[in-house]
Amino acid sequence: MVAKAAVIKQQIQLSDAECDARIRAAKKTLGERLVILGHHYQREEVFRHADISGDSLKLSYQAAQSEAEYIVFCGVHFMAEVADILSRPGQAVILPDLAAGCSLADMANLAKVERAWRDLSSVLDPDQQITPVTYINSAADLKAFCGSHGGIVCTSSNARKILDWSFAQREKVLFFPDEHLGRNTGYAMGIPLNEMVVWDFNQPLGGLTPEQINSAKIILWKGFCSVHQMFQPAHIDRFLEKYPDAKVISHPEASFEVCQKSDYVGSTSFIVKTIADSAPGTRWLVGTELNLVKRLHETYKHEGKSVHFMSPTICMCSTMFRIDPQQLMWALESLVEGRIVNRICVPERESTRAKHALERMLTIS
Ligand code: 13P
Ligand code: SF4
């Protein structure tokens, strides 16, 4: 333990440039035994080492299809759990820093969701009337809950299709943990705002009356992403005063008001593609995480596109940022030495039920 701590400390002192060369060397040695998956929010010094990059949906597919013995996930904990659930026996999923969590995912837990299900059963029959839908940004046991209650997982890029499927099963949806993705998607499908109620998990019966529950189509968990909630409609107004021809694009984890004022709303991959496909000279205001917006700015400035970050304050995903070149190098060099470090292993019982919910999603998407 002491030896391991000393090695990590030495590595933390290495510069990013020194790590860069050692990461490349370790990748070369591991060859096809290794695949590095990188989410769009990863910092540049890590992102450049990803063999495959993408949004949560694409990375889930890639994890399910990979032949590599080691899947190193440069992203956050729930993403690595999904990769482990979808991986084959003999594959190992590694998260370079185990503290890379997701504050949104932490807003729901199994005890609270089970309590909500019990509370709801005092008003209706949840297993007959409600499809539980968990955003992929959630722990594996919540995916398992959905798997065993006829429910499903969604991502920001397939939420609409998944809600269509959910309403074909049962008349209502309990959507957790992100209130905003649920509301933005439901509204885009034509569900009026007054048919989407918010479940406050700290209140008896979610702070709702039986009448409100009975007349709701979607029950939205009161959870949010601390990064995306920083974006405000006033940021858009101020920007458009200065640049009236600019286009606004936001991630659906942003508030309803921000998404309503945006020209486009979609997943990180949708944001990347929309800006990539836009005409030279287009000016963009982007409501998503800073590292992705910085990369888009750098990539497209040469094409005369100008990409701006929505908030005047820094809104970085601090947990995505925990994956640094030093930790990535340590994880890879450990593999070269024959040691698997920071392995993510979802317990089998949970994994099997979570896989039902994930496979339903992958089939529908
Ligand atoms: P995407 O699936 O759009 O990449 O979103 C993941 C996420 O965590 C956004 O905050
Ligand atoms: Fe989670 Fe928000 Fe970070 Fe996405 S940006 S990983 S939702 S904390």
Side-chain angles (χ1 to χ4, degrees):
M1 199 62 193
V2 173
K4 180 181 160 188
V7 172
I8 295 177
K9 193 156 186 289
Q10 263 177 18
Q11 284 164 344
I12 285 170
Q13 287 160 359
L14 290 177
S15 71
D16 287 357
E18 285 169 299
C19 291
D20 196 80
R22 285 173 58 170
I23 291 169
R24 285 178 203 282
K27 279 188 76 175
K28 206 165 165 207
T29 308
L30 292 163
E32 291 186 353
R33 296 171 70 200
L34 167 76
V35 67
I36 301 182
L37 303 182
H39 187 265
H40 287 134
Y41 291 166
Q42 289 294 296
R43 59 169 89 181
E44 194 47 42
E45 306 78 52
V46 170
F47 189 80
R48 67 168 71 113
H49 297 294
D51 299 301
I52 300 166
S53 60
D55 63 4
S56 309
L57 182 63
K58 178 174 169 192
L59 295 176
S60 306
Y61 275 116
Q62 292 300 331
Q65 282 163 9
S66 169
E67 299 290 337
E69 191 179 336
Y70 306 123
I71 301 173
V72 172
F73 215 121
C74 295
V76 287
H77 194 267
F78 74 81
M79 297 179 177
E81 278 189 335
V82 169
D84 178 56
I85 293 166
L86 296 175
S87 65
R88 280 181 272 272
Q91 290 182 304
V93 176
I94 291 137
L95 182 64
D97 187 332
L98 292 177
C102 164
S103 60
L104 166 60
D106 292 343
M107 291 200 138
N109 62 38
L110 187 60
K112 286 181 178 164
V113 169
E114 284 182 338
R115 194 172 69 210
W117 208 246
R118 272 197 310 274
D119 280 9
L120 286 164
S121 68
S122 68
V123 177
L124 37 72
D125 181 352
D127 280 296
Q128 294 296 319
Q129 291 174 275
I130 305 181
T131 307
V133 178
T134 188
Y135 187 25
I136 196 163
N137 296 40
S138 58
D141 55 3
L142 292 184
K143 296 181 177 86
F145 176 91
C146 289
S148 45
H149 288 272
I152 193 161
V153 180
C154 78
T155 75
S156 60
S157 58
N158 61 17
R160 189 172 176 149
K161 271 190 197 155
I162 298 298
L163 284 187
D164 280 334
W165 177 89
S166 305
F167 286 122
Q169 316 305 308
R170 298 172 191 168
E171 69 200 62
K172 296 179 195 294
V173 160
L174 173 64
F175 191 94
F176 45 88
D178 187 26
E179 171 183 339
H180 302 295
L181 176 64
R183 182 181 293 108
N184 288 324
T185 311
Y187 191 78
M189 292 166 71
I191 301 175
L193 288 178
N194 62 4
E195 291 181 20
M196 295 187 272
V197 293
V198 177
W199 183 271
D200 180 347
F201 45 83
N202 289 318
Q203 304 283 333
L205 205 59
L208 298 169
T209 62
E211 294 70 35
Q212 284 173 310
I213 292 169
N214 273 319
S215 57
K217 283 291 283 176
I218 308 186
I219 301 165
L220 301 165
W221 196 261
K222 195 177 178 183
F224 57 86
C225 162
S226 51
V227 176
H228 289 84
Q229 72 150 6
M230 301 288 280
F231 304 121
Q232 303 291 328
H235 300 152
I236 301 179
D237 294 340
R238 278 203 289 274
F239 192 78
L240 291 180
E241 266 168 36
K242 204 164 165 198
Y243 303 110
D245 294 335
K247 296 284 173 213
V248 182
I249 188 163
S250 301
H251 194 277
E253 286 172 15
S255 71
F256 179 71
E257 293 74 17
V258 164
C259 290
Q260 285 301 300
K261 277 186 181 277
S262 301
D263 298 290
Y264 305 91
V265 176
S267 75
T268 55
S269 287
F270 173 82
I271 293 173
V272 171
K273 184 171 177 347
T274 307
I275 295 179
D277 292 348
S278 65
T282 315
R283 189 180 292 278
W284 288 98
L285 183 67
V286 186
T288 198
E289 203 270 344
L290 184 64
N291 282 288
L292 172 55
V293 181
K294 269 172 33 186
R295 184 175 316 113
L296 290 168
H297 167 79
E298 285 303 316
T299 310
Y300 293 109
K301 67 181 181 197
H302 310 290
E303 294 180 20
K305 297 175 200 173
S306 136
V307 179
H308 304 250
F309 185 58
M310 191 176 284
S311 169
T313 48
I314 306 258
C315 321
M316 209 179 56
C317 178
S318 55
T319 46
M320 284 275 181
F321 199 69
R322 291 195 80 104
I323 310 289
D324 60 19
Q326 289 72 18
Q327 296 278 106
L328 176 59
M329 182 188 80
W330 169 67
L332 297 186
E333 290 188 345
S334 301
L335 292 176
V336 171
E337 288 161 14
R339 276 181 300 118
I340 301 178
V341 293
N342 288 10
R343 184 169 184 178
I344 301 297
C345 278
V346 177
E348 198 181 321
R349 213 177 136 262
E350 215 166 78
S351 176
T352 310
R353 291 180 299 130
K355 199 170 177 175
H356 287 320
L358 279 162
E359 284 181 344
R360 272 180 202 138
M361 172 188 86
L362 293 176
T363 309
I364 292 164
S365 314

